[in-house]
Amino acid sequence: MRPFARTALAATLLVGVPALSGWAQPAGVAEWRAGHEKAIVDELRGLVSLPNVAGNDADMQKNADRLQTLFTARKFKVETVGGPGSPVVFASLDVPDAAGTLTFYIHYDGQPVDPAEWTHCKPFSPCLMSAAGPVADDPARTTFDPEWRLYGRSTSDDKGPIVALLNAVDALRATGKGPTWNVRVVLDGEEEAGSRNFQRFATARPTALKTDLAVTLDGPRHPSGRPTVYFGVRGGAGVTLTVYGANGDLHSGNYGNWAPDPSMRLAKLLATMKDDNGRVLIKDFYADVRPLTATEKAALDAAPDVEALLSKNFCVATPERPEQRLEVKLNEPTLSILELSTSGISGRSAIPARPAPASRCAW
Ligand SMILES: [Zn+2]
């Protein structure tokens, strides 16, 4: 086991913050969006149609090229920066008398995908779905039911926000409202695969990321469906645990009850890490969590209660630590087992020996 290397993870979620509740969309923007629904959906469809699994460099370059085209069309200055792997696309827009600089982080890669598991449409052939089933393609359609969904890999995570941002800029311009801030957009092509080029970019170009406000356009909406602002996010750290047994596989009929079973040992070790209620028992696991302030608690209390909805949606009768709501628990680190494996061969009566059961944990 590598040394414990947990990063500071305290995160604050504020939903329905009083200071934001008086916010109103600039006049004319909603009308502009309503008049451009087809173009917006078509732009998203086009972007989602490009396969985007990081590691497939030729595919990723096509995504980077499309992003360059889309942002250049909005008068952004665009750079494609990268070493081996998927490049970072960095788009910047300067406006006269800027009130400040606003930087967005978005990613354009998606998680690996198995097309055989897609039932309605293939991951890179997006299709519209309603609650009742597929929505037939109609080239003459100009409006879209807000309850319809576009199915396709990365539609929401994280290509939708790219298209939303581009069209927000269009809408502000068309209505004479802005942008009034300089805008920087970092488009990471390896967010699902370690962000190596983003790390290189951040190291090599610190001034490019100098900003007054940074916003990450990634992550879910609140389950209530209301617009959500998260102030801070939990980071991540991981370890791989390997438990060793004998120096060779041993037949369980001959050595069972004598040879220690690495799988059992690992299971017992993991079981010590959380209590029956889901609280992590590792020493000092929560030691650096800053307590919530009164303002933060008030904001969390003001968020809609979605516990019953979550239980229904995910078929979970009793969540971990049910005495606290999700939004409170998001402010603490969590311990998850991402993967469990053994060197044993299915159906073989052997107690696996060598670098056997391995688990990947993250918190
Ligand atoms: Zn994402």
Side-chain angles (χ1 to χ4, degrees), residues 276-313:
D276 290 345
N277 204 29
R279 180 93 183 157
V280 177
L281 298 173
I282 296 169
K283 187 168 180 292
D284 292 335
F285 190 78
Y286 302 102
D288 56 359
V289 175
R290 177 179 60 75
L292 294 171
T293 65
T295 304
E296 290 164 345
K297 281 183 185 158
L300 294 174
D301 286 344
D305 187 339
V306 293
E307 292 298 315
L309 179 67
L310 291 174
S311 289
K312 178 166 170 277
N313 285 353

mmCIF file of all heavy atoms in Angstrom, residues 276-313:
data_model
loop_
_atom_site.group_PDB
_atom_site.id
_atom_site.type_symbol
_atom_site.label_atom_id
_atom_site.label_comp_id
_atom_site.label_asym_id
_atom_site.label_seq_id
_atom_site.Cartn_x
_atom_site.Cartn_y
_atom_site.Cartn_z
ATOM 1 N N ASP A 276 -21.000 0.188 10.071
ATOM 2 C CA ASP A 276 -22.209 -0.320 9.403
ATOM 3 C C ASP A 276 -23.089 0.796 8.867
ATOM 4 O O ASP A 276 -23.964 0.567 8.029
ATOM 5 C CB ASP A 276 -23.018 -1.186 10.389
ATOM 6 C CG ASP A 276 -22.307 -2.486 10.698
ATOM 7 O OD1 ASP A 276 -21.367 -2.837 9.947
ATOM 8 O OD2 ASP A 276 -22.675 -3.137 11.691
ATOM 9 N N ASN A 277 -22.867 2.011 9.347
ATOM 10 C CA ASN A 277 -23.681 3.151 8.929
ATOM 11 C C ASN A 277 -23.034 3.924 7.781
ATOM 12 O O ASN A 277 -23.624 4.862 7.248
ATOM 13 C CB ASN A 277 -23.903 4.080 10.139
ATOM 14 C CG ASN A 277 -25.138 4.919 9.994
ATOM 15 O OD1 ASN A 277 -26.099 4.520 9.341
ATOM 16 N ND2 ASN A 277 -25.106 6.107 10.588
ATOM 17 N N GLY A 278 -21.798 3.550 7.402
ATOM 18 C CA GLY A 278 -21.142 4.210 6.283
ATOM 19 C C GLY A 278 -20.094 5.231 6.683
ATOM 20 O O GLY A 278 -19.488 5.874 5.825
ATOM 21 N N ARG A 279 -19.879 5.392 7.987
ATOM 22 C CA ARG A 279 -18.877 6.358 8.457
ATOM 23 C C ARG A 279 -17.491 5.731 8.318
ATOM 24 O O ARG A 279 -17.270 4.599 8.743
ATOM 25 C CB ARG A 279 -19.161 6.693 9.927
ATOM 26 C CG ARG A 279 -18.200 7.695 10.542
ATOM 27 C CD ARG A 279 -18.721 9.090 10.436
ATOM 28 N NE ARG A 279 -17.778 10.065 10.969
ATOM 29 C CZ ARG A 279 -17.774 11.348 10.627
ATOM 30 N NH1 ARG A 279 -18.650 11.793 9.750
ATOM 31 N NH2 ARG A 279 -16.910 12.184 11.139
ATOM 32 N N VAL A 280 -16.543 6.484 7.717
ATOM 33 C CA VAL A 280 -15.194 5.957 7.522
ATOM 34 C C VAL A 280 -14.463 5.924 8.858
ATOM 35 O O VAL A 280 -14.485 6.893 9.615
ATOM 36 C CB VAL A 280 -14.426 6.808 6.494
ATOM 37 C CG1 VAL A 280 -12.983 6.295 6.331
ATOM 38 C CG2 VAL A 280 -15.142 6.776 5.143
ATOM 39 N N LEU A 281 -13.810 4.798 9.129
ATOM 40 C CA LEU A 281 -13.157 4.607 10.425
ATOM 41 C C LEU A 281 -11.651 4.807 10.366
ATOM 42 O O LEU A 281 -10.972 4.704 11.383
ATOM 43 C CB LEU A 281 -13.453 3.186 10.936
ATOM 44 C CG LEU A 281 -14.944 2.893 11.175
ATOM 45 C CD1 LEU A 281 -15.147 1.413 11.506
ATOM 46 C CD2 LEU A 281 -15.491 3.770 12.299
ATOM 47 N N ILE A 282 -11.103 5.093 9.198
ATOM 48 C CA ILE A 282 -9.654 5.295 9.079
ATOM 49 C C ILE A 282 -9.262 6.516 9.916
ATOM 50 O O ILE A 282 -9.932 7.565 9.855
ATOM 51 C CB ILE A 282 -9.262 5.509 7.603
ATOM 52 C CG1 ILE A 282 -9.571 4.240 6.808
ATOM 53 C CG2 ILE A 282 -7.790 5.881 7.475
ATOM 54 C CD1 ILE A 282 -9.467 4.415 5.310
ATOM 55 N N LYS A 283 -8.181 6.359 10.680
ATOM 56 C CA LYS A 283 -7.778 7.411 11.619
ATOM 57 C C LYS A 283 -7.569 8.741 10.887
ATOM 58 O O LYS A 283 -6.925 8.778 9.834
ATOM 59 C CB LYS A 283 -6.482 6.980 12.320
ATOM 60 C CG LYS A 283 -6.033 7.890 13.439
ATOM 61 C CD LYS A 283 -4.916 7.227 14.241
ATOM 62 C CE LYS A 283 -4.438 8.097 15.384
ATOM 63 N NZ LYS A 283 -3.738 9.299 14.960
ATOM 64 N N ASP A 284 -8.104 9.792 11.422
ATOM 65 C CA ASP A 284 -7.951 11.164 10.918
ATOM 66 C C ASP A 284 -8.532 11.376 9.520
ATOM 67 O O ASP A 284 -8.189 12.347 8.836
ATOM 68 C CB ASP A 284 -6.472 11.588 10.906
ATOM 69 C CG ASP A 284 -5.923 11.727 12.315
ATOM 70 O OD1 ASP A 284 -6.737 11.976 13.236
ATOM 71 O OD2 ASP A 284 -4.712 11.576 12.503
ATOM 72 N N PHE A 285 -9.385 10.472 9.068
ATOM 73 C CA PHE A 285 -9.940 10.604 7.714
ATOM 74 C C PHE A 285 -10.667 11.937 7.529
ATOM 75 O O PHE A 285 -10.614 12.556 6.476
ATOM 76 C CB PHE A 285 -10.893 9.436 7.433
ATOM 77 C CG PHE A 285 -11.324 9.340 6.007
ATOM 78 C CD1 PHE A 285 -10.479 8.814 5.043
ATOM 79 C CD2 PHE A 285 -12.581 9.787 5.603
ATOM 80 C CE1 PHE A 285 -10.878 8.727 3.717
ATOM 81 C CE2 PHE A 285 -12.982 9.704 4.289
ATOM 82 C CZ PHE A 285 -12.121 9.160 3.334
ATOM 83 N N TYR A 286 -11.361 12.363 8.563
ATOM 84 C CA TYR A 286 -12.128 13.615 8.463
ATOM 85 C C TYR A 286 -11.423 14.786 9.155
ATOM 86 O O TYR A 286 -12.012 15.855 9.315
ATOM 87 C CB TYR A 286 -13.509 13.435 9.105
ATOM 88 C CG TYR A 286 -14.344 12.327 8.497
ATOM 89 C CD1 TYR A 286 -14.478 11.097 9.123
ATOM 90 C CD2 TYR A 286 -15.005 12.515 7.286
ATOM 91 C CE1 TYR A 286 -15.253 10.074 8.579
ATOM 92 C CE2 TYR A 286 -15.783 11.502 6.727
ATOM 93 C CZ TYR A 286 -15.900 10.291 7.383
ATOM 94 O OH TYR A 286 -16.665 9.291 6.832
ATOM 95 N N ALA A 287 -10.148 14.575 9.541
ATOM 96 C CA ALA A 287 -9.495 15.547 10.428
ATOM 97 C C ALA A 287 -9.378 16.936 9.815
ATOM 98 O O ALA A 287 -9.450 17.938 10.519
ATOM 99 C CB ALA A 287 -8.116 15.033 10.828
ATOM 100 N N ASP A 288 -9.202 17.040 8.500
ATOM 101 C CA ASP A 288 -8.976 18.366 7.914
ATOM 102 C C ASP A 288 -10.240 18.955 7.282
ATOM 103 O O ASP A 288 -10.170 19.891 6.499
ATOM 104 C CB ASP A 288 -7.834 18.322 6.893
ATOM 105 C CG ASP A 288 -8.082 17.294 5.801
ATOM 106 O OD1 ASP A 288 -9.131 16.619 5.860
ATOM 107 O OD2 ASP A 288 -7.247 17.166 4.899
ATOM 108 N N VAL A 289 -11.382 18.402 7.632
ATOM 109 C CA VAL A 289 -12.630 18.961 7.090
ATOM 110 C C VAL A 289 -13.026 20.180 7.908
ATOM 111 O O VAL A 289 -13.191 20.101 9.132
ATOM 112 C CB VAL A 289 -13.760 17.914 7.135
ATOM 113 C CG1 VAL A 289 -15.069 18.535 6.678
ATOM 114 C CG2 VAL A 289 -13.401 16.727 6.261
ATOM 115 N N ARG A 290 -13.174 21.297 7.227
ATOM 116 C CA ARG A 290 -13.570 22.531 7.915
ATOM 117 C C ARG A 290 -15.076 22.478 8.199
ATOM 118 O O ARG A 290 -15.858 22.183 7.297
ATOM 119 C CB ARG A 290 -13.246 23.725 7.013
ATOM 120 C CG ARG A 290 -13.675 25.054 7.578
ATOM 121 C CD ARG A 290 -13.295 26.200 6.644
ATOM 122 N NE ARG A 290 -13.893 26.116 5.310
ATOM 123 C CZ ARG A 290 -15.171 26.378 5.041
ATOM 124 N NH1 ARG A 290 -16.017 26.709 6.004
ATOM 125 N NH2 ARG A 290 -15.626 26.299 3.807
ATOM 126 N N PRO A 291 -15.487 22.756 9.425
ATOM 127 C CA PRO A 291 -16.936 22.725 9.718
ATOM 128 C C PRO A 291 -17.680 23.751 8.865
ATOM 129 O O PRO A 291 -17.128 24.801 8.505
ATOM 130 C CB PRO A 291 -16.994 23.092 11.203
ATOM 131 C CG PRO A 291 -15.627 22.846 11.742
ATOM 132 C CD PRO A 291 -14.671 23.070 10.609
ATOM 133 N N LEU A 292 -18.913 23.452 8.552
ATOM 134 C CA LEU A 292 -19.720 24.382 7.768
ATOM 135 C C LEU A 292 -20.020 25.635 8.578
ATOM 136 O O LEU A 292 -20.239 25.567 9.801
ATOM 137 C CB LEU A 292 -21.039 23.711 7.370
ATOM 138 C CG LEU A 292 -20.924 22.520 6.417
ATOM 139 C CD1 LEU A 292 -22.275 21.827 6.288
ATOM 140 C CD2 LEU A 292 -20.422 22.975 5.050
ATOM 141 N N THR A 293 -20.035 26.755 7.890
ATOM 142 C CA THR A 293 -20.398 28.004 8.561
ATOM 143 C C THR A 293 -21.918 28.108 8.653
ATOM 144 O O THR A 293 -22.649 27.342 8.002
ATOM 145 C CB THR A 293 -19.880 29.212 7.779
ATOM 146 O OG1 THR A 293 -20.565 29.248 6.516
ATOM 147 C CG2 THR A 293 -18.376 29.139 7.559
ATOM 148 N N ALA A 294 -22.383 29.063 9.423
ATOM 149 C CA ALA A 294 -23.839 29.256 9.568
ATOM 150 C C ALA A 294 -24.470 29.583 8.222
ATOM 151 O O ALA A 294 -25.561 29.113 7.889
ATOM 152 C CB ALA A 294 -24.108 30.365 10.586
ATOM 153 N N THR A 295 -23.766 30.393 7.397
ATOM 154 C CA THR A 295 -24.298 30.756 6.077
ATOM 155 C C THR A 295 -24.402 29.519 5.191
ATOM 156 O O THR A 295 -25.392 29.316 4.475
ATOM 157 C CB THR A 295 -23.372 31.794 5.403
ATOM 158 O OG1 THR A 295 -23.236 32.899 6.280
ATOM 159 C CG2 THR A 295 -23.927 32.246 4.071
ATOM 160 N N GLU A 296 -23.353 28.681 5.248
ATOM 161 C CA GLU A 296 -23.372 27.471 4.425
ATOM 162 C C GLU A 296 -24.488 26.522 4.868
ATOM 163 O O GLU A 296 -25.205 25.950 4.042
ATOM 164 C CB GLU A 296 -22.008 26.779 4.505
ATOM 165 C CG GLU A 296 -20.910 27.562 3.784
ATOM 166 C CD GLU A 296 -19.504 27.118 4.157
ATOM 167 O OE1 GLU A 296 -19.337 26.409 5.175
ATOM 168 O OE2 GLU A 296 -18.571 27.500 3.442
ATOM 169 N N LYS A 297 -24.646 26.397 6.182
ATOM 170 C CA LYS A 297 -25.718 25.526 6.682
ATOM 171 C C LYS A 297 -27.081 26.044 6.240
ATOM 172 O O LYS A 297 -27.957 25.275 5.844
ATOM 173 C CB LYS A 297 -25.662 25.463 8.214
ATOM 174 C CG LYS A 297 -24.583 24.528 8.734
ATOM 175 C CD LYS A 297 -24.649 24.467 10.254
ATOM 176 C CE LYS A 297 -23.514 23.645 10.791
ATOM 177 N NZ LYS A 297 -23.203 23.931 12.169
ATOM 178 N N ALA A 298 -27.242 27.361 6.298
ATOM 179 C CA ALA A 298 -28.532 27.948 5.904
ATOM 180 C C ALA A 298 -28.802 27.693 4.424
ATOM 181 O O ALA A 298 -29.935 27.400 4.026
ATOM 182 C CB ALA A 298 -28.528 29.450 6.194
ATOM 183 N N ALA A 299 -27.757 27.800 3.609
ATOM 184 C CA ALA A 299 -27.931 27.555 2.172
ATOM 185 C C ALA A 299 -28.311 26.101 1.920
ATOM 186 O O ALA A 299 -29.182 25.799 1.088
ATOM 187 C CB ALA A 299 -26.646 27.915 1.420
ATOM 188 N N LEU A 300 -27.667 25.192 2.626
ATOM 189 C CA LEU A 300 -27.987 23.768 2.451
ATOM 190 C C LEU A 300 -29.412 23.474 2.913
ATOM 191 O O LEU A 300 -30.146 22.715 2.278
ATOM 192 C CB LEU A 300 -26.981 22.908 3.221
ATOM 193 C CG LEU A 300 -25.541 22.983 2.694
ATOM 194 C CD1 LEU A 300 -24.604 22.211 3.608
ATOM 195 C CD2 LEU A 300 -25.439 22.437 1.284
ATOM 196 N N ASP A 301 -29.815 24.100 4.024
ATOM 197 C CA ASP A 301 -31.182 23.893 4.518
ATOM 198 C C ASP A 301 -32.214 24.403 3.514
ATOM 199 O O ASP A 301 -33.337 23.894 3.443
ATOM 200 C CB ASP A 301 -31.381 24.625 5.857
ATOM 201 C CG ASP A 301 -30.679 23.899 7.000
ATOM 202 O OD1 ASP A 301 -30.315 22.720 6.806
ATOM 203 O OD2 ASP A 301 -30.481 24.519 8.065
ATOM 204 N N ALA A 302 -31.822 25.438 2.748
ATOM 205 C CA ALA A 302 -32.769 26.033 1.799
ATOM 206 C C ALA A 302 -32.906 25.215 0.524
ATOM 207 O O ALA A 302 -33.815 25.451 -0.272
ATOM 208 C CB ALA A 302 -32.321 27.461 1.455
ATOM 209 N N ALA A 303 -31.996 24.273 0.303
ATOM 210 C CA ALA A 303 -32.071 23.456 -0.919
ATOM 211 C C ALA A 303 -33.256 22.500 -0.824
ATOM 212 O O ALA A 303 -33.572 22.004 0.258
ATOM 213 C CB ALA A 303 -30.776 22.669 -1.086
ATOM 214 N N PRO A 304 -33.907 22.232 -1.947
ATOM 215 C CA PRO A 304 -35.058 21.302 -1.914
ATOM 216 C C PRO A 304 -34.620 19.929 -1.389
ATOM 217 O O PRO A 304 -33.526 19.466 -1.697
ATOM 218 C CB PRO A 304 -35.469 21.212 -3.390
ATOM 219 C CG PRO A 304 -34.896 22.424 -4.038
ATOM 220 C CD PRO A 304 -33.651 22.765 -3.283
ATOM 221 N N ASP A 305 -35.484 19.302 -0.593
ATOM 222 C CA ASP A 305 -35.186 17.981 -0.045
ATOM 223 C C ASP A 305 -35.457 16.926 -1.122
ATOM 224 O O ASP A 305 -36.600 16.770 -1.575
ATOM 225 C CB ASP A 305 -36.067 17.735 1.187
ATOM 226 C CG ASP A 305 -35.692 16.446 1.895
ATOM 227 O OD1 ASP A 305 -35.059 15.571 1.262
ATOM 228 O OD2 ASP A 305 -36.038 16.287 3.075
ATOM 229 N N VAL A 306 -34.421 16.218 -1.525
ATOM 230 C CA VAL A 306 -34.569 15.244 -2.613
ATOM 231 C C VAL A 306 -34.285 13.821 -2.137
ATOM 232 O O VAL A 306 -34.115 12.919 -2.954
ATOM 233 C CB VAL A 306 -33.636 15.597 -3.787
ATOM 234 C CG1 VAL A 306 -34.068 16.894 -4.450
ATOM 235 C CG2 VAL A 306 -32.185 15.693 -3.327
ATOM 236 N N GLU A 307 -34.239 13.602 -0.828
ATOM 237 C CA GLU A 307 -33.870 12.271 -0.329
ATOM 238 C C GLU A 307 -34.830 11.189 -0.841
ATOM 239 O O GLU A 307 -34.399 10.129 -1.288
ATOM 240 C CB GLU A 307 -33.826 12.287 1.204
ATOM 241 C CG GLU A 307 -32.699 13.122 1.784
ATOM 242 C CD GLU A 307 -31.310 12.614 1.392
ATOM 243 O OE1 GLU A 307 -31.071 11.402 1.454
ATOM 244 O OE2 GLU A 307 -30.464 13.454 1.027
ATOM 245 N N ALA A 308 -36.132 11.460 -0.770
ATOM 246 C CA ALA A 308 -37.104 10.453 -1.220
ATOM 247 C C ALA A 308 -36.970 10.223 -2.727
ATOM 248 O O ALA A 308 -37.051 9.093 -3.219
ATOM 249 C CB ALA A 308 -38.522 10.907 -0.877
ATOM 250 N N LEU A 309 -36.729 11.319 -3.452
ATOM 251 C CA LEU A 309 -36.560 11.201 -4.909
ATOM 252 C C LEU A 309 -35.343 10.357 -5.245
ATOM 253 O O LEU A 309 -35.381 9.488 -6.132
ATOM 254 C CB LEU A 309 -36.421 12.607 -5.503
ATOM 255 C CG LEU A 309 -36.210 12.704 -7.009
ATOM 256 C CD1 LEU A 309 -37.460 12.239 -7.749
ATOM 257 C CD2 LEU A 309 -35.864 14.143 -7.420
ATOM 258 N N LEU A 310 -34.241 10.586 -4.537
ATOM 259 C CA LEU A 310 -33.016 9.813 -4.788
ATOM 260 C C LEU A 310 -33.239 8.336 -4.500
ATOM 261 O O LEU A 310 -32.823 7.461 -5.277
ATOM 262 C CB LEU A 310 -31.873 10.335 -3.903
ATOM 263 C CG LEU A 310 -31.332 11.724 -4.225
ATOM 264 C CD1 LEU A 310 -30.323 12.151 -3.172
ATOM 265 C CD2 LEU A 310 -30.686 11.740 -5.602
ATOM 266 N N SER A 311 -33.911 8.034 -3.374
ATOM 267 C CA SER A 311 -34.167 6.633 -3.033
ATOM 268 C C SER A 311 -34.988 5.954 -4.119
ATOM 269 O O SER A 311 -34.724 4.808 -4.492
ATOM 270 C CB SER A 311 -34.907 6.537 -1.694
ATOM 271 O OG SER A 311 -34.033 6.886 -0.643
ATOM 272 N N LYS A 312 -35.972 6.692 -4.628
ATOM 273 C CA LYS A 312 -36.837 6.123 -5.679
ATOM 274 C C LYS A 312 -36.053 5.938 -6.975
ATOM 275 O O LYS A 312 -36.082 4.877 -7.600
ATOM 276 C CB LYS A 312 -38.013 7.074 -5.903
ATOM 277 C CG LYS A 312 -38.976 6.651 -6.982
ATOM 278 C CD LYS A 312 -40.266 7.471 -6.884
ATOM 279 C CE LYS A 312 -41.162 7.254 -8.075
ATOM 280 N NZ LYS A 312 -40.835 8.065 -9.229
ATOM 281 N N ASN A 313 -35.313 6.985 -7.368
ATOM 282 C CA ASN A 313 -34.596 6.927 -8.651
ATOM 283 C C ASN A 313 -33.546 5.831 -8.668
ATOM 284 O O ASN A 313 -33.326 5.181 -9.694
ATOM 285 C CB ASN A 313 -33.914 8.269 -8.934
ATOM 286 C CG ASN A 313 -34.904 9.327 -9.377
ATOM 287 O OD1 ASN A 313 -36.077 9.034 -9.607
ATOM 288 N ND2 ASN A 313 -34.445 10.567 -9.487
#
